[in-house]
Structures are given as structure tokens and as C-alpha cells.
């Protein structure tokens, strides 16, 4: 058993290491071109690269063997291995002039110029025959991928209570083994047993009590769960975390691409002219807009590229560009080699989009199509989107014009701040709020005409700060982010299962609240309180202003939007019953940073009821997960992998919605691009966790039952035979332990969660009562057999089967070879039969189904094993087979004793079943343990309107007193905190009040 256990564990570990090695080897050993002195280029192995080497990126792409920074050229990169985001990104070379060029290289600040190890270069762009070059900055485990590989090799310890309690339980078994060890030595010395036999039997008792097959049996359930997850498209690289999924009570969701559709649909555009907004237009390709600066900005201000003839890039950019109907053309390799000037990417409208006014003009009627090329625009330089700056810009030149133009797009507030104030409509704040309240994503556009003296080469050296200033506001693009069909149903299922859900997004606050209401995360009758925190400034202390949002009857638009009014609602806490006070906090990333730094005493109170976290940076998402874990939540994180990697790795269970089969960004990766994978994972986690408890209890009982049998036999200087041990370990324990783990997960999530601790009332009651039952029936059978009239000290000449009781004589004394091991005797045979049936009985009793697993009768391998073993044992007990008896070293007993043994076995199974099912599951769980759990959540006092309810309440109180389970405060911090806040009359803060950092008690001031 030990060999099988060790071999199974080694196979699992080896398999994971081989997979990891293959993943690393795909890029670790490749040939690269390295630039040496005097412009020499030589081939070298990637393993020989060191920081400072200049490598050449081939035109057909490569998988990066190191972290390198681009110094010449542009690359299109697929970073899905690192981030889980399959959208290619554009990497540009380091700036060679300007303020940014004067800064020293920093891998965090210059990510858009850095090619990371393990990412795939899809395509390169080079000019005038120049090579695309990059300088190696990190290699090996120092790279971004190397750090991920290291985190897999040496993962963060999974502090799970099951494993801690398992060690304590094993220590208890070791203590029991120690008692048996001393008992064996003392008894053997008293009976003058040879020293060799004493050592062997003393060590036997230790291996019997501490089951060596326990690790393999525990691993089997996790392996089966992992296979079932794979069948539903969920891939796992950290199998031990499957058990943790069974305890999840809070799940954080990213918004875009997770709760909502990955792509955005263009709802409409709203242009601005002469400082005011025009009416919204649904079609950006409308003839009147084709030659406008607004559409030109939409067609050029993006990071799209053509890969194998197909447009590729950010989904938002794709939707925006496709809405214009324009065509993008990129220079070919031959064109860049033949021309000295930079060959730009060109965009132009299709022929049918040229304004009719131009076609009807007499001066243009006879022109060829090529003469309408004045509508073509070349993109001269691109400043990629920066999440820090929240904007991107391009420098373009329209064919035939002498001057260049700069186009800018980004967050509306940022774009408006960079524009001339007289070009921004006065109604801009109200218009923007109107759209964001309805859940739309809004992007602002602006442009600027550059000086005519600027040349192509000079533009390449300008910093973006010089270009992105004094812009003219063009208008707004309104994008609609639809909620996925599965989102609302999954969130409802999680809420019914008592699993809290949060939204953690980088999007706008009002948009996030709108989506939260629409998908059911915040229900219609519940209030949202926005915590708006401001840092200290100009001798003013840090403060939090609490804004209440009204919740009127939902105003829908296209069945997609929900109106939110930011005006403070009327609030009277005294008039609202306690159970109806349902509220949620909403916090921005900026406010979260201020509260964490200046209001640490409020952080835990806030996250206890916060549901929406908007404008959160990637590191803030990780910080939020850590705060939630600090108040004893078991946290799951579900995101699209783009900017959630830190939180996915830090959570107890991170689920990346990626098409990649083995993503190193999170423990779990789903090939299904929606959150329906979350309930599936939790169901399988609960089934795996319950299976772990079942297997652990079964293996513990198996060791104790065998320990009892051997201890009783030691008292008569006997033992179980070698083939009896073999039959029990292989035919019964091994088959049962590995088949009882095959129960699939239950089809729906239930309100209660499986236990997380082995040291709990129900589990200890179950184990101890079964141990006591086994002990009683083994001792009963052991003593009864010695009281039988036919009983004698067994010898090879004994024939109790065929000799009548009256003819038996205890004076019979026949000389026979002495059996030194004393295996063959009536006590041994009796205990072998009784203990064998006890193993099967506890296996069936512990293998429970609903509400976390399918019933055992649907687990046909387990049922066939049990039926087969029961049949075989009953057959050899009631109808002995000499060959089997000889093999198992059991002796023949009279038929009436066989019937007695059958009765003992049946009564034993019935008592075990009643103790486990009737007393534990029905009486104690319902009236004692569940009542105790009820203290952890606010409930109404029990009603005594009916006699039955009064009796139940009295029975619960009596049994609680009997089992010393008086009302105790909850052990987990978030429940303890919730009970405290229930009695706090000043929480939540009242509308429009301000909390200042100087007040140690965080009391709010008078309303503003």
C-alpha cells in the first residue's frame, strides 16, 4: 500500500513537472541572431544570452526566449501566455528624444516597449531595410515568465483547514499507535515472546494504525474531480485548490469580457460643433460625416494591424473602425525596402462613401477614382494607449495636404482636460453622466492641426506631451456593452447558494453600478452608497463623503440600460425595519487607496458590504482580495486575464476565462467564455471536498477497526494472517477507497456549504460512534466465541464443523505441530469475518450523496464492488470453500455459529446506519449543529405559534444544553463584524455626511 501511495503521488508530481518543463522548453532553447561589434551578426543559442545583448527579431516572428526592450522597429505581440488576453498588442521602440527618452529604463513604466519572455512575436514592422532590434534586459527565472514558472514550482502555501486538521488527526492516530505499541511490548514480555517477534508485532501495530495508503486515497478524489472539470472545459494546474473551491463564499468578477460581452457595439456618435452637441447619430458612416474630422479620427486613432490579411487588435478599436466603413492598407516588405521615407499605414473610405456632393460637382464628374485619393490618410506616428494616461493619439497626414494633424481618443474627462475650453460643450458633464448612468461606455475624440514646418522625421522625435495639448473637442463615441446571456442566471444561482458576489472593474463607477443592477448583483429595492474619498490637500484632512443613489422604478432603454439618479435619497433609519435595510457600498480605485491609507479602521467595515469596485488598478484588485481574505472570506476571482493576473493568483480560486488550455496566470482556466464555469467549479469543489472527508473518515475507521482486531488477537498471542491482511488491504480497502471517490457532483448548488474542518462536532460524533460500535461488536464476537460449547484451543485435528456439540470433549489432547504464529483459531476467524463486514458497512455509510454529491447508487463501480464483496464474504462465511479457507488461513466453524455471525454483522450494520443517518443527520444536525450555525447570520427569533414549532425549539435548546453548545460568537471575522455592525446605530453613515481622518472613532460630521 505504501508503494502504491508513493508511486501515485510521484506520478502526479512528475506529470506536472514534465508539463511545466515542456512549456518552458518551447522557448528556452532556440537559435537567435545576435548583433556583435562591427555590425557582425552571428547565431547563438538562447541559453547563452545575457543582459545587454542586442538580438534581431525575425520578420516572420518568434517566441521570445528572454525579456528584451525594442530599440528599433515595431512588433505585433500575442501576450496570451502571460495575461490570458488573446488580443495582439503593438510594441514600439524606446523613444530616442524628448523627456521620456531622458528617463532611465524601467520595466513597469516601459511595458509598451518591452517584449516579454514566452510571448509570441506575430509580425514585425521595419523601415528602409533596417532590422528590428531589441536589447536583452532579463533572462531565466528573472524574466516575467520565469517568475510565473517559479510561482508554480514554489506556490504560495494553501492554508486550508482540512489539511491542518488532517495532520492533527494523524497525530491522534500516532498517539493511539503508541498506546498499542507499548501494550504489545508489555504483553509480549509477560508471555515470554521472542525479541524478534516483539519487534515485528510492535512495528506492525504502528503501520496498521497510520494507514500508508491515505495520501493516495485522498489524491484519487481530486484526480477524478480534475477529470470531470476537464470534460466541461475547465483546466487546472493546481489540483489541491479544487478542495478550496468547495468552501468559496465570495466570488469577485471582472466586468468587461466576464459579466458583459467581450466586444462593444457602437450605439451611436454625438459630434460637437461650435461648443455644443449635435443630436446623436446611429451611423458613423453616414455620407455627411465621411469627410469630417470626427470620422477621420475614428478611422486613424487605433492600434489595428493586418495579420494574414485580417484586421486584428483591440475589440473596441475594431468596432470603432468597422463602423466607419473605411479600408486599412499596410505597406508591404518590398515597399518599406524600396523607399527611404517612412511608409505609413494608410486608411481611406470606400468608393461608395465619397460624398455625393463631390460626385455631382461638374468639376469632378470626369475624374478617375484615383483622383479621389485626397480622402486617403497616412498614419505617420502612433502613441499607444496607456492605461495610466487613459488615452492614445496618432499623428496623420492627409494625402495632398502640407500640414499634419494629431488625433486623440480616450476617457472623456481626460480628453476634455486636454482641449481648449471653448470647444468643449457646456453640457458635457450632464451629457456624459446621462450616458454613463445608462451603462454606456463613452469615448471622447479630439484633434489638432500641427504646424506646417513639421517634417516626417521631426515628428518621430516629438514627445506625446507636446502633441496632446491645445486640442479641439470633436465629440463622443457611445459604445454599448451588453451583458452576457448567462450572467444574470449564474449570479442568481450563486446568491441562492449563499455565495456573495462582487464586481471589480476598471470601468466608470456609474456604468459599473448600472451593470450591477442589470445583472442582479444589486437588486432593484437595494440602496447603493458611493464612498467618495479625497486625500489630504492644502491643510485639509482626508475625508469620505457618503452619497446615496436613488432607486426609482427602473427606466430601461432597449431592454439594456438602467437609470441611476445620483441625488441623495431620503433616508430615515428609524422608520426602516432592520431586515429591510439592504445597502451596498460602491468604491472607486482612488477612494480605495485613500481609505486604505488614511482610514484603515474602516476598510474591513466597508468591504463587508461593498459590491461595486470601479476604476480599480491591477494591483488594487490584488490588494482587495487580500483584504477580503483577512476577514476570513474564502475568495474566488473570475476574470478575462487581461489585467487580473495578480488577483487570480492571489485568490483561493482564480478562474481565467481564456481559450488557452493551460494558462499559467491562474489555477483554473475555462474554455467557456462566460461565468457559467463558476457554479460548475464550486459544485465539483464541494463534491471533491466531501469526498476527501468521506475517504479520510473511511481510512481512519479502516485503521482503527484493524487496530482493534489485532489488539484483541494479541491478547491471545495471535494475529491476522499475511493473506488476511492482503485480502483486506487489496480486495476491500483499495477497491472501496478508489471507487467511493467516483460520485459525481450534485446537479445544483445548495444553500449550505460542506464542512471545512475535521475537528467539528458532526464529524467527531460520526467517527467516534462508529469506532465505539465497531469495538462493541468485535469484543462481543470475541467473547461469545469463547463461550460456545464447542470452543477449544484449535489444532489441525479440530473439526468443529462435523462434530456434534455433545461429542466434543475439552480433554482431547492430540500431539500436533505447534503453530508459532497461532493464526488459525476460532477468534481469528470470527474477528476476520466481523471486521471485513465492518469495513464495507462504514464505507457505505460514509459515502453520502445529496446535497453535494450524486447518490452512491449512481456510482456503479462502487456499488458493484460492494455487492461483489458482500456476496463473496457471505458465501465463504455461510458455505465454506476449503481452498479459500486454506488460502486465508481461516478455520471451519459450526453452522449455527455462522448464522450467529451473520446476525451480529446485520445488527452491527443496522446500529451503524441508525447512528449515522437517524441520530447524526436528522436529529443532531437539525436541532443542534444547524442551530449553532444559525448564530452566524441574522435570523428572526423562532416562532412558537404552533405546538410543533414550540417542541422543536424546546428540543433544540435541550440538546444544545446537553451537548454544551451554548450560544458562542462566530469564529470567522466577517460574521463577527456583521453582528457588531447590526447593533451600530451610526452605520451605515447617513446621506451627504463626511467622515474625516482625524476622528479616531470615524464619526461622521453633520450633513453638508
Amino acid at each position: 500500500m505504501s508503494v502504491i501511495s508513493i508511486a501515485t503521488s510521484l506520478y502526479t508530481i512528475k506529470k506536472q513537472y514534465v508539463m511545466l518543463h515542456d512549456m518552458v522548453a518551447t522557448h528556452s532553447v532556440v537559435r537567435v541572431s545576435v548583433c556583435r561589434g562591427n555590425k557582425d551578426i552571428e547565431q547563438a543559442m538562447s541559453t547563452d544570452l545575457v543582459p545587454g545583448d542586442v538580438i534581431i527579431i525575425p520578420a516572420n516572428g518568434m517566441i521570445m526566449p528572454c525579456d528584451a526592450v525594442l530599440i528599433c522597429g515595431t512588433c505585433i505581440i500575442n501576450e496570451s501566455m502571460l495575461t490570458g488576453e488573446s488580443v495582439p498588442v503593438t510594441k514600439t521602440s524606446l523613444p530616442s528624444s524628448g523627456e521620456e527618452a531622458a528617463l532611465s529604463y524601467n520595466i513597469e513604466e516601459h511595458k509598451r516597449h518591452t517584449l516579454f519572455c514566452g510571448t509570441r512575436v506575430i509580425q514585425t514592422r521595419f523601415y528602409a531595410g533596417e532590422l528590428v532590434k531589441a536589447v536583452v534586459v532579463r533572462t531565466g527565472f528573472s524574466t516575467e515568465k520565469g517568475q510565473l514558472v517559479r510561482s508554480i514550482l514554489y506556490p504560495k502555501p494553501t492554508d486550508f483547514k482540512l489539511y491542518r486538521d488532517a495532520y492533527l488527526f494523524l497525530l491522534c492516530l500516532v498517539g493511539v499507535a503508541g498506546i498499542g505499541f507499548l501494550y504489545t511490548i508489555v504483553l509480549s514480555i509477560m508471555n515470554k515472546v521472542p525479541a524478534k517477534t516483539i519487534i515485528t508485532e510492535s512495528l506492525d501495530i504502528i503501520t496498521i494504525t497510520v494507514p500508508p495508503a491515505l495520501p493516495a486515497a485522498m489524491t484519487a478524489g481530486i484526480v477524478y474531480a480534475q477529470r470531470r472539470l476537464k470534460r466541461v472545459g475547465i483546466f487546472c494546474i493546481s489540483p489541491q485548490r479544487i478542495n478550496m473551491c468547495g468552501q468559496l463564499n465570495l466570488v469577485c468578477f471582472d466586468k468587461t469580457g466576464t459579466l458583459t460581452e467581450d466586444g462593444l457595439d457602437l450605439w451611436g456618435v454625438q459630434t460637437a460643433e461650435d461648443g455644443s452637441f449635435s443630436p446623436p447619430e446611429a451611423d458613423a458612416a453616414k455620407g455627411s460625416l465621411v469627410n469630417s474630422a470626427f470620422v477621420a479620427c475614428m478611422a486613424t486613432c487605433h492600434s489595428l494591424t493586418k495579420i494574414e490579411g485580417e484586421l486584428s487588435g483591440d475589440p473596441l478599436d475594431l468596432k470603432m473602425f468597422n463602423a466607419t466603413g473605411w479600408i486599412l492598407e499596410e505597406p508591404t516588405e518590398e515597399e518599406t525596402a524600396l523607399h527611404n521615407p517612412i511608409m505609413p499605414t494608410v486608411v481611406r473610405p470606400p468608393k461608395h462613401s465619397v460624398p455625393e456632393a463631390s460626385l455631382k460637382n461638374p468639376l469632378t464628374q470626369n475624374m478617375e477614382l484615383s483622383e479621389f485619393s485626397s480622402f486617403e490618410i497616412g498614419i505617420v506616428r502612433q502613441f499607444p494607449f496607456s492605461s495610466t494616461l487613459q488615452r492614445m493619439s496618432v499623428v496623420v497626414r492627409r494625402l495632398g495636404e502640407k500640414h499634419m494633424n494629431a488625433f486623440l481618443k480616450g476617457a472623456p474627462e481626460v480628453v476634455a482636460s486636454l482641449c481648449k475650453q471653448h470647444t468643449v460643450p457646456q453640457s458635457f458633464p450632464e451629457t456624459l453622466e446621462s450616458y454613463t448612468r445608462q451603462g454606456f461606455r463613452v469615448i471622447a475624440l479630439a484633434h489638432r492641426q500641427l504646424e506646417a514646418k513639421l517634417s516626417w522625421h521631426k515628428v518621430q522625435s516629438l514627445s506625446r506631451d507636446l502633441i496632446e495639448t491645445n486640442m479641439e473637442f470633436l465629440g463622443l463615441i457611445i459604445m454599448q456593452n451588453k451583458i452576457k446571456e448567462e450572467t444574470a442566471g449564474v449570479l442568481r444561482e450563486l446568491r441562492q447558494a449563499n455565495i456573495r458576489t462582487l464586481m471589480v472593474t476598471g470601468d466608470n463607477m456609474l456604468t459599473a453600478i448600472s451593470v450591477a443592477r442589470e445583472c442582479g448583483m444589486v437588486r432593484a429595492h437595494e440602496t447603493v452608497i458611493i464612498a467618495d474619498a479625497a486625500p489630504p490637500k492644502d491643510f485639509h484632512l482626508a475625508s469620505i463623503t457618503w452619497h446615496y443613489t436613488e432607486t426609482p422604478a427602473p427606466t430601461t432603454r432597449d431592454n439594456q440600460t438602467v437609470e441611476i439618479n445620483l441625488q441623495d435619497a431620503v433616508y430615515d433609519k428609524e422608520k426602516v425595519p432592520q431586515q429591510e435595510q439592504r445597502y451596498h457600498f460602491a468604491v472607486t480605485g482612488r477612494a480605495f487607496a485613500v481609505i486604505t491609507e488614511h482610514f484603515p479602521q474602516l476598510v474591513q467595515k466597508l468591504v463587508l458590504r461593498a459590491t461595486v469596485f470601479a476604476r480599480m488598478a491591477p494591483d488594487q484588485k490584488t490588494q482587495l482580495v487580500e483584504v477580503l481574505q483577512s476577514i476570513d472570506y474564502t475568495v474566488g476571482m473570475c476574470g478575462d486575464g487581461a489585467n487580473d493576473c495578480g488577483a487570480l493568483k492571489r485568490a483561493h480560486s482564480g478562474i481565467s476565462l481564456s481559450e488557452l488550455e493551460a494558462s499559467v496566470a491562474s489555477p483554473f482556466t475555462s474554455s467557456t467564455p462566460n461565468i457559467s464555469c463558476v457554479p460548475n467549479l464550486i459544485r465539483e469543489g464541494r463534491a471533491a471536498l466531501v469526498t476527501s472527508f468521506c475517504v479520510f473518515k473511511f481510512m481512519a475507521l479502516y485503521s482503527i477497526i484493524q487496530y482493534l482486531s489485532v489488539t484483541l488477537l494479541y491478547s491471545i498471542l495471535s494475529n491476522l494472517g499475511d493473506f488476511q491482511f492482503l485480502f483486506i488491504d487489496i480486495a476491500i480497502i483499495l477497491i472501496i477507497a478508489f471507487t467511493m471517490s467516483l460520485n459525481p457532483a450534485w446537479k445544483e448548488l445548495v444553500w449550505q456549504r460542506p464542512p471545512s474542518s475535521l475537528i467539528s462536532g458532526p464529524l467527531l460524533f460520526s467517527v467516534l460512534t462508529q469506532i465505539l460500535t465497531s469495538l462493541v461488536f468485535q469484543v462481543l464476537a470475541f467473547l461469545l466465541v469463547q463461550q460456545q460449547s464447542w470452543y477449544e484451543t484449535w489444532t489441525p485435528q479440530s473439526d468443529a464443523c462435523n462434530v456434534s456439540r455433545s461429542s466434543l470433549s475439552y480433554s482431547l489432547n492430540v500431539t500436533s505441530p505447534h503453530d508459532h504464529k497461532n493464526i488459525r483459531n476460532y477468534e481469528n476467524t470470527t474477528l476476520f469475518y466481523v471486521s471485513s463486514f465492518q469495513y464495507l458497512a462504514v464505507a457505505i455509510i460514509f459515502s453520502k450523496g445529496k446535497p453535494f454529491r450524486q447518490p452512491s447508487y449512481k456510482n456503479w463501480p462502487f456499488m458493484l464492488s460492494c455487492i461483489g464483496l458482500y456476496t463473496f464474504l457471505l458465501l465463504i462465511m455461510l458455505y465454506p470453500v476449503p481452498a479459500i479457507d486454506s488460502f486465508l488461513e481461516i478455520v471451519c466453524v459450526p453452522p449455527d455459529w455462522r448464522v450467529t455471525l451473520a446476525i451480529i454483522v446485520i445488527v452491527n450494520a443496522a446500529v451503524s446506519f441508525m447512528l449515522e443517518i437517524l441520530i447524526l443527520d436528522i436529529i443532531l444536525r437539525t436541532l443542534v449543529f444547524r442551530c449553532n450555525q444559525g448564530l452566524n447570520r441574522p435570523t428572526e427569533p423562532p416562532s412558537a405559534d404552533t405546538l410543533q414549532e414550540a417542541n422543536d425549539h424546546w428540543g433544540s435548546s435541550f440538546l444544545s444544553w446537553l451537548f454544551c453548545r451554548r450560544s458562542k460568537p462566530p469564529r470567522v471575522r466577517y460574521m463577527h463584524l456583521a453582528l457588531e455592525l447590526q447593533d451600530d446605530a451610526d452605520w451605515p453613515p447617513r446621506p451627504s455626511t463626511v467622515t474625516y481622518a482625524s476622528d479616531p472613532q470615524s464619526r461622521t460630521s453633520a450633513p453638508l
Side-chain angles (χ1 to χ4, degrees):
M1 294 294 282
S2 299
V3 172
I4 294 173
S5 176
I6 294 170
T8 305
S9 299
L10 286 177
Y11 171 76
T12 305
I13 295 170
K14 178 69 175 176
K15 186 178 178 181
Q16 291 180 1
Y17 271 85
V18 168
M19 289 177 60
L20 186 61
H21 178 270
D22 291 343
M23 182 187 71
V24 176
T26 54
H27 67 82
S28 60
V29 185
V30 294
R31 299 192 71 85
V32 292
S33 300
V34 184
C35 295
R36 301 301 186 192
N38 300 322
K39 298 185 178 180
D40 291 336
I41 298 176
E42 65 179 42
Q43 298 294 313
M45 297 303 296
S46 58
T47 51
D48 297 329
L49 292 176
V50 295
D53 283 342
V54 178
I55 61 174
I56 295 172
I57 311 298
N60 59 350
M62 65 183 296
I63 295 178
M64 290 299 298
C66 59
D67 287 355
V69 59
L70 272 175
I71 57 172
C72 182
T74 304
C75 292
I76 310 297
I77 306 290
N78 184 342
E79 293 187 328
S80 59
M81 195 288 303
L82 288 179
T83 64
E85 178 59 68
S86 59
V87 176
V89 295
T90 302
K91 301 283 185 172
T92 59
S93 58
L94 277 173
S96 56
S97 60
E99 293 181 7
E100 195 172 353
L103 300 173
S104 58
Y105 174 76
N106 182 287
I107 202 159
E108 291 297 326
E109 296 178 5
H110 295 89
K111 274 189 174 182
R112 62 181 181 273
H113 311 299
T114 304
L115 311 179
F116 292 105
C117 178
T119 60
R120 180 182 290 275
V121 179
I122 301 173
Q123 183 177 311
T124 62
R125 292 180 183 174
F126 48 93
Y127 308 108
E130 292 186 10
L131 298 172
V132 179
K133 299 177 183 178
V135 176
V136 177
V137 291
R138 296 191 302 194
T139 60
F141 278 115
S142 299
T143 63
E144 198 78 12
K145 183 172 183 178
Q147 292 173 12
L148 285 174
V149 173
R150 181 184 292 168
S151 70
I152 298 173
L153 287 172
Y154 311 104
K156 173 178 68 73
T158 52
D159 185 22
F160 196 42
K161 200 168 185 182
L162 170 65
Y163 303 129
R164 295 200 308 268
D165 292 348
Y167 292 129
L168 290 175
F169 210 94
L170 287 176
L171 284 176
C172 293
L173 292 179
V174 170
V176 173
I179 296 171
F181 181 80
L182 295 175
Y183 166 80
T184 304
I185 293 176
V186 172
L187 190 66
S188 300
I189 292 174
M190 290 173 62
N191 288 278
K192 299 180 181 180
V193 176
K196 182 180 177 180
T197 306
I198 294 176
I199 295 172
T200 304
E201 292 183 347
S202 300
L203 294 177
D204 271 351
I205 205 76
I206 294 177
T207 58
I208 288 169
T209 313
V210 183
L214 180 60
M218 295 277 286
T219 303
I222 296 175
V223 171
Y224 296 149
Q226 190 175 3
R227 289 179 181 175
R228 290 194 296 267
L229 286 172
K230 192 172 183 179
R231 284 200 291 268
V232 295
I234 301 174
F235 305 94
C236 173
I237 62 170
S238 182
Q240 294 300 324
R241 289 183 183 250
I242 295 177
N243 274 342
M244 287 190 174
C245 296
Q247 278 295 308
L248 289 182
N249 50 16
L250 184 147
V251 182
C252 302
F253 292 97
D254 183 33
K255 184 180 76 69
T256 307
T258 304
L259 297 175
T260 59
E261 295 287 351
D262 201 12
L264 296 169
D265 295 323
L266 183 70
W267 182 84
V269 298
Q270 192 162 12
T271 59
E273 295 179 5
D274 301 326
S276 62
F277 280 115
S278 301
E281 295 278 357
D283 186 9
K286 191 176 178 181
S288 60
L289 294 175
V290 168
N291 202 27
S292 66
F294 187 92
V295 171
C297 183
M298 290 178 66
T300 57
C301 197
H302 53 71
S303 57
L304 300 178
T305 185
K306 277 195 173 181
I307 299 175
E308 298 180 355
E310 293 290 330
L311 274 178
S312 179
D314 185 90
L316 187 146
D317 287 347
L318 272 172
K319 287 285 184 183
M320 185 178 72
F321 182 78
N322 290 334
T324 65
W326 285 40
I327 299 169
L328 182 140
E329 296 175 349
E330 289 186 325
T332 63
E333 183 177 341
E334 292 78 10
E335 289 174 331
T336 56
L338 292 173
H339 295 77
N340 284 330
I342 297 172
M343 289 297 295
T345 298
V346 175
V347 295
R348 60 179 176 81
K351 178 181 177 182
H352 65 80
S353 295
V354 178
E356 293 182 7
S358 298
L359 293 175
K360 293 179 180 179
N361 191 324
L363 297 176
T364 62
Q365 279 181 351
N366 298 322
M367 288 185 180
E368 298 294 332
L369 178 62
S370 60
E371 296 181 23
F372 286 106
S373 59
S374 59
F375 290 100
E376 292 186 0
I377 301 175
I379 302 173
V380 179
R381 189 178 180 191
Q382 181 186 98
F383 296 98
F385 176 80
S386 167
S387 57
T388 306
L389 300 176
Q390 294 184 320
R391 63 180 186 269
M392 78 163 290
S393 60
V394 292
V395 177
V396 303
R397 182 173 182 178
R398 190 184 292 270
L399 197 63
E401 292 185 356
K402 294 183 179 179
H403 61 81
M404 299 185 191
N405 288 285
F407 288 117
L408 172 74
K409 77 168 183 183
E413 303 92 335
V414 174
V415 172
S417 67
L418 297 173
C419 292
K420 299 173 184 176
Q421 287 303 307
H422 70 274
T423 65
V424 180
Q426 291 184 352
S427 61
F428 170 78
E430 294 80 8
T431 304
L432 175 61
E433 184 178 329
S434 172
Y435 285 127
T436 54
R437 279 205 312 253
Q438 298 176 67
F440 290 118
R441 183 167 181 179
V442 183
I443 300 166
L445 306 182
H447 94 292
R448 174 190 172 195
Q449 183 174 312
L450 302 178
E451 295 80 1
K453 63 181 181 179
L454 282 177
S455 65
W456 288 59
H457 291 286
K458 193 170 183 180
V459 165
Q460 304 304 315
S461 61
L462 283 178
S463 69
R464 69 188 300 168
D465 292 334
L466 294 176
I467 291 176
E468 296 172 348
T469 185
N470 291 324
M471 310 291 285
E472 295 183 7
F473 191 81
L474 290 177
L476 303 173
I477 299 175
I478 302 100
M479 311 291 285
Q480 190 175 27
N481 195 194
K482 295 181 180 178
I483 290 178
K484 293 181 179 179
E485 293 180 3
E486 303 82 3
T487 297
V490 170
L491 294 179
R492 182 169 57 252
E493 184 179 3
L494 293 177
R495 184 172 63 248
Q496 291 171 350
N498 195 31
I499 297 173
R500 185 180 162 200
T501 55
L502 304 182
M503 182 192 297
V504 188
T505 177
D507 210 341
N508 177 277
M509 168 65 81
L510 296 179
T511 303
I513 295 175
S514 173
V515 171
R517 286 196 184 278
E518 189 177 347
C519 67
M521 196 174 284
V522 176
R523 284 177 281 185
H525 63 279
E526 295 173 336
T527 303
V528 176
I529 306 172
I530 298 177
D532 186 12
K537 185 179 180 182
D538 298 333
F539 303 105
H540 292 287
L541 298 169
S543 61
I544 307 174
T545 306
W546 310 91
H547 297 289
Y548 279 55
T549 60
E550 280 188 347
T551 54
T555 303
T556 60
R557 179 171 180 172
D558 296 333
N559 296 322
Q560 287 292 326
T561 61
V562 180
E563 194 73 31
I564 299 174
N565 195 336
L566 247 188
Q567 295 179 358
D568 295 319
V570 177
Y571 176 83
D572 189 348
K573 186 166 184 174
E574 295 179 358
K575 293 182 180 180
V576 182
Q578 182 69 30
Q579 61 270 21
E580 295 180 9
Q581 289 178 16
R582 301 302 304 272
Y583 61 91
H584 301 262
F585 287 113
V587 186
T588 63
R590 174 176 171 269
F592 185 73
V594 173
I595 293 170
T596 303
E597 182 179 356
H598 299 284
F599 300 87
Q601 72 279 8
L602 287 182
V603 173
Q604 293 186 352
K605 291 183 179 181
L606 203 62
V607 299
L608 186 68
R609 296 302 296 267
T611 301
V612 177
F613 292 86
R615 297 294 190 201
M616 295 286 280
D619 59 328
Q620 288 181 318
K621 293 183 179 183
T622 306
Q623 189 179 2
L624 173 62
V625 170
E626 292 173 349
V627 171
L628 291 168
Q629 289 174 335
S630 71
I631 56 175
D632 296 336
Y633 273 113
T634 306
V635 183
M637 176 72 195
C638 183
D640 57 4
N643 56 355
D644 307 312
C645 294
L648 288 169
K649 287 190 293 183
R650 188 69 184 88
H652 291 105
S653 172
I655 314 159
S656 175
L657 301 185
S658 168
E659 294 181 358
L660 300 177
E661 185 167 310
S663 170
V664 295
S666 66
F668 299 95
T669 303
S670 172
S671 59
T672 306
N674 59 64
I675 63 172
S676 62
C677 62
V678 176
N680 289 334
L681 182 59
I682 296 175
R683 276 196 295 268
E684 289 296 345
R686 289 181 173 185
L689 183 57
V690 170
T691 298
S692 295
F693 278 102
C694 292
V695 170
F696 194 93
K697 288 163 64 178
F698 172 68
M699 296 302 289
L701 259 295
Y702 143 66
S703 61
I704 294 296
I705 290 171
Q706 198 169 79
Y707 171 83
L708 294 174
S709 301
V710 171
T711 304
L712 287 172
L713 290 175
Y714 277 2
S715 68
I716 60 169
L717 301 183
S718 181
N719 198 354
L720 291 173
D722 292 338
F723 289 105
Q724 290 176 344
F725 276 123
L726 190 66
F727 174 79
I728 292 170
D729 290 347
I730 302 298
I732 298 180
I733 304 304
L734 197 63
I735 292 175
I736 294 298
F738 281 89
T739 57
M740 74 186 302
S741 303
L742 288 171
N743 289 42
W746 186 246
K747 55 192 174 188
E748 60 186 33
L749 284 175
V750 294
W751 187 88
Q752 67 266 37
R753 288 188 298 275
S756 61
S757 172
L758 286 169
I759 315 299
S760 63
L763 193 139
L764 288 177
F765 178 86
S766 173
V767 171
L768 293 176
T769 52
Q770 295 303 324
I771 290 174
L772 187 61
T773 304
S774 300
L775 174 62
V776 167
F777 281 92
Q778 283 200 38
V779 171
L780 176 65
F782 183 79
L783 296 177
L784 272 179
V785 72
Q786 295 177 346
Q787 302 301 320
Q788 300 304 307
S789 58
W790 47 263
Y791 174 80
E792 65 175 347
T793 303
W794 188 89
T795 65
Q797 285 72 33
S798 298
D799 191 8
C801 293
N802 301 318
V803 180
S804 63
R805 295 183 190 178
S806 58
S807 63
L808 282 173
S809 173
Y810 289 101
S811 63
L812 184 64
N813 188 9
V814 180
T815 304
S816 62
H818 181 63
D819 181 11
H820 293 288
K821 293 186 178 180
N822 191 24
I823 302 299
R824 293 174 179 268
N825 54 64
Y826 298 118
E827 293 89 345
N828 171 287
T829 300
T830 299
L831 290 181
F832 172 75
Y833 283 133
V834 172
S835 63
S836 295
F837 282 104
Q838 284 179 340
Y839 300 133
L840 294 175
V842 295
I844 294 172
I845 289 169
F846 287 160
S847 185
K848 296 179 181 178
K850 190 178 177 180
F852 304 116
R853 303 196 307 168
Q854 295 283 356
S856 292
Y857 62 78
K858 291 189 177 181
N859 180 358
W860 62 266
F862 176 70
M863 292 306 297
L864 287 179
S865 301
C866 291
I867 293 171
L869 287 168
Y870 262 118
T871 303
F872 175 77
L873 288 171
L874 284 171
L875 182 67
I876 65 173
M877 185 176 73
L878 298 177
Y879 304 98
V881 180
I884 296 176
D885 287 357
S886 176
F887 178 78
L888 293 176
E889 298 181 274
I890 55 181
V891 299
C892 191
V893 294
D896 59 342
W897 181 244
R898 295 177 211 154
V899 175
T900 304
L901 282 179
I903 295 172
I904 291 174
V905 166
I906 293 171
V907 174
N908 185 358
V911 171
S912 297
F913 181 83
M914 288 182 63
L915 286 171
E916 183 74 17
I917 306 300
L918 182 63
I919 296 181
L920 177 65
D921 288 352
I922 298 179
I923 299 178
L924 292 182
R925 281 189 188 275
T926 302
L927 298 180
V928 181
F929 301 122
R930 186 176 297 175
C931 181
N932 185 71
Q933 292 171 1
L935 294 172
N936 298 336
R937 56 190 176 89
T939 57
E940 295 182 7
S943 171
D945 292 341
T946 66
L947 182 61
Q948 181 63 41
E949 289 176 348
N951 290 336
D952 287 347
H953 180 54
W954 178 88
S956 172
S957 302
F958 173 75
L959 288 172
S960 295
W961 171 83
L962 182 64
F963 285 89
C964 300
R965 297 186 65 84
R966 300 212 169 43
S967 298
K968 297 178 182 178
R971 294 181 181 180
V972 289
R973 297 179 190 173
Y974 70 88
M975 290 183 177
H976 185 75
L977 189 60
L979 290 177
E980 285 183 357
L981 294 181
Q982 255 190 348
D983 300 327
D984 189 348
D986 295 327
W987 191 265
R990 297 180 182 276
S992 296
T993 54
V994 181
T995 303
Y996 292 100
S998 61
D999 191 340
Q1001 301 299 323
S1002 293
R1003 289 174 298 187
T1004 53
S1005 70
L1008 293 173

